[in-house]
Amino acid sequence: MKIRLEFHKTRAMHLIGNKTAYFPFIHCIEAHQRTQPADAAKKCAKKMHVDLDPISACASGKQGANWEHEMATLTAALYPPHTYAPWITFDGVF
């Protein structure tokens, strides 16, 4: 389930696009994924008024896989290095 939630976060970043809009959604998932992993994305989407359908629809598509690879590549280039993706940075600072 952890990997699926990581995909939701990456896709939300790309599909929502606005940091001010997607960051609260990602924060909510992070806060709930340990206690309610199966429902975290659904509950957070409802709470944050995020349309989860396009994010979920991207799950089996090539574009979603490309975005996840892009996040992994950017994460691998960070210093100090991090071991999972996505790792959120703002203006190059984490």
Side-chain angles (χ1 to χ4, degrees):
M1 182 50 87
K2 173 83 170 156
I3 291 172
R4 178 170 282 177
L5 290 175
E6 294 300 332
F7 288 169
H8 273 77
K9 291 184 278 187
T10 298
R11 290 175 181 113
M13 290 170 66
H14 284 86
L15 294 172
I16 296 170
N18 180 323
K19 293 175 190 173
T20 305
Y22 71 67
F23 191 80
F25 175 67
I26 292 172
H27 181 265
C28 182
I29 288 176
E30 289 289 334
H32 292 93
Q33 71 183 10
R34 291 190 182 139
T35 58
Q36 304 165 331
D39 298 322
K42 187 183 291 185
K43 287 182 178 185
C44 293
K46 184 175 181 178
K47 180 179 179 181
M48 300 292 145
H49 308 287
V50 169
D51 183 1
L52 193 58
D53 290 339
I55 294 169
S56 296
C58 199
S60 61
K62 194 170 192 165
Q63 184 61 59
N66 288 340
W67 287 336
E68 195 64 28
H69 177 73
E70 178 186 334
M71 288 290 126
T73 300
L74 291 170
T75 299
L78 290 174
Y79 185 81
H82 296 280
T83 57
Y84 61 93
W87 186 269
I88 299 172
T89 62
F90 288 99
D91 299 324
V93 178
F94 57 96

